[in-house]
Amino acid sequence: MTTLFINIKELIQVRESDVMKLSGKDMGILPIIKNAFLLIEDDLIIDFGSMNRVSIKDADKVVDLTDKLVLPTWCDSHTHLVFADTREEEFVNRIKGLTYQEIAEKGGGILNSAKKLQDKSEDLLYNDAVIRIKEIIKSGTGALEIKSGYGLTLDSELKILRVIKKLKENFSIPIKATFLGAHAIPNEYKEKRAEYIQLIIDKMIPKIAKEKLADYIDVFCEKGYFTTTETDLILKAGIKYGLIPKIHVNQFNSIGGVKVGVDNNALSVDHLEVLTDEDLNILSKSDTMPVALPSCSFFLGIPYTNGRKIIDSNIPLAIASDYNPGSSPSGNMNFVVSLACIKMKMTPEEAINAATINAAYALNLSDKVGSISRGKMANFIITKPIKSYSFIPYAFADNCIGKVYLNGKETSAI
Ligand code: NIG
Ligand code: FE
């Protein structure tokens, strides 16, 4: 079955299929075709171009998109969207003056989420996650990564990863699973942290690998969480079982996590709110994608990742939502793109590239999603009638999304 979309005001992010990621100045270029057509067959993009060369009789179905723009769906390469409960009490405490770290020290934060997740059934966790994924699909997300890390026991980490596995099976968007057993040291291991790390290495990783429950391995490499030495050990243990590193670094301090990530060929290093020249230098010589999480900076009131400096150093950059109950209770990628422009001084071209093609790289899915390219999945957004693509980040709390297509099908039924 072929569908031909005609009279598209702007067809955005059109690329040859072999573009995997963009760095530096190339991020400032967003290829578009004005007054375009897009031809899909079943779930794949098969052709596109200017309306001058379209032949309408070629398609089974024709859809007129006069005044509307088309762009690839957002790729969200960093979320923790399987969680047991929201944490608005902590939000209120932060308004009253406590910091994120102080709340964590008082038993809130990640450990609070872990306690609640341990008590919740796999079915209920799954049902809540389904609602969240449907919501983010409506706001234009068409590929996704989800982390564990709110389990922190063998059973609960397996539980959360099994929920992610079921989400992978039941949603048509590509979903990648990341094992984040090293998200925090559980209270009962406070005085014997080496034992918890051994539990991750000896019990959790082998079991998770055996059940094929994860694609990636993550560690929260940060003061008060995991040291660089511990991070290195855990990543190497994961690599031995085929898990690719993709890690949390430099959220509050630069303690050497970027180097550990790059030395272990991490697919991405995420957060980077604090960034040294040494970190930049290491990134510039690597294939690792730096990922900024501007909604986390917005929500916690911490510095934004210096995306300008990263791009101006000729390094690539992706952006993601970090959807989680503690530091970013939103998975809305439109808002992430707006924040990248408004707060990180990225141009709309750079922000859209960061949330599509570079974000696809951070998911290891550049061959399937992230651009309008022949042979890629027909996952795209049709906007409401708007003037130009810069309106998307400009209208920051607005919803410019008209329709979302996944695998060539309109998603209104989801
Ligand atoms: O990416 N920084 C570590 N982990 C999450 C937040 C976790 C939480 O507060 O529940 C993040 O921001
Ligand atoms: Fe995170």
Side-chain angles (χ1 to χ4, degrees), residues 78 80 147 248 271 293 322 324:
H78 182 139
H80 311 241
K147 299 174 193 296
H248 283 73
H271 272 289
L293 308 166
D322 198 15
N324 76 78

Side-chain angles (χ1 to χ4, degrees), residues 74 139-140 332-339 392-393 396 398-399 401:
W74 307 124
S139 61
N332 189 322
M333 284 296 289
N334 304 286
F335 186 57
V336 172
V337 172
S338 287
L339 284 176
I392 299 170
F396 66 90
D398 225 347
N399 180 7
I401 313 275

Side-chain angles (χ1 to χ4, degrees), residues 78 80 87 100 109-110 113 150 183 220 248 251 271 296 322 324-327:
H78 182 139
H80 311 241
R87 302 211 311 247
Y100 180 76
I110 296 165
S113 280
Y150 288 132
H183 200 188
F220 186 15
H248 283 73
Q251 183 173 4
H271 272 289
C296 171
D322 198 15
N324 76 78
S327 69

